[in-house]
């Protein structure tokens, strides 16, 4: 049994100008986390709240992130970018 749909509008083709729209303001300044093979890179964080070998807490643009694990170390630290190494167990976000 075939299903018929009434009043279905045909889809209009996407214009090339719609494919290359600029992202909203502040898009490239949002925090980003990347994890691969025992390394975690966090971009666009604002401040380190707490650091020890079991836990790292960072202030993000809107809220904070807590990373827990074992043997956590800071492999690289630059303005707004941190590279952590170790065994990661949990990542928690809080929006304040």
């Amino acid at each position: 049994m075939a299903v018929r749909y009434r009043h279905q509008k045909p889809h209009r083709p996407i214009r090339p100008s719609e494919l290359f729209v600029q992202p909203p303001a502040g898009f490239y300044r949002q925090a980003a986390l990347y994890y691969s093979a025992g390394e975690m890179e966090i971009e666009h964080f604002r401040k380190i709240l707490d650091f020890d070998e079991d836990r790292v807490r960072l202030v993000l643009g809107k809220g904070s992130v807590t990373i827990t694990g074992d043997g956590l170390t800071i492999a690289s630290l630059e303005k707004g970018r941190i590279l952590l190494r170790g065994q990661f167990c949990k990542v928690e976000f809080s929006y304040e």
Side-chain angles (χ1 to χ4, degrees):
M1 178 181 340
V3 178
R4 289 184 166 181
Y5 297 100
R6 285 191 245 157
H7 308 293
Q8 236 183 2
K9 294 181 181 179
H11 295 289
R12 70 171 179 80
I14 296 174
R15 295 181 199 125
S17 62
E18 293 175 331
L19 294 174
F20 304 104
V21 176
Q22 290 293 319
F27 177 80
Y28 293 109
R29 291 282 181 194
Q30 293 180 359
L33 280 76
Y34 306 98
Y35 173 76
S36 176
E39 291 186 341
M40 185 177 295
E41 182 178 357
I42 298 101
E43 294 180 340
H44 303 294
F45 78 96
R46 293 188 178 181
K47 181 178 169 182
I48 299 174
L49 289 176
D50 186 25
F51 173 78
D52 62 32
E53 65 181 22
D54 298 325
R55 183 174 82 164
V56 178
R57 289 181 56 214
L58 304 171
V59 175
L60 306 176
K62 294 180 180 176
S64 64
V65 63
T66 302
I67 301 158
T68 56
D70 293 319
L72 301 179
T73 60
I74 297 175
S76 174
L77 179 62
E78 301 171 20
K79 182 181 179 184
R81 181 179 296 195
I82 188 170
L83 177 64
L84 303 171
R85 288 193 178 128
Q87 184 175 358
F88 301 97
C89 297
K90 183 169 44 170
V91 177
E92 294 178 285
F93 294 93
S94 65
Y95 300 96
E96 301 159 356

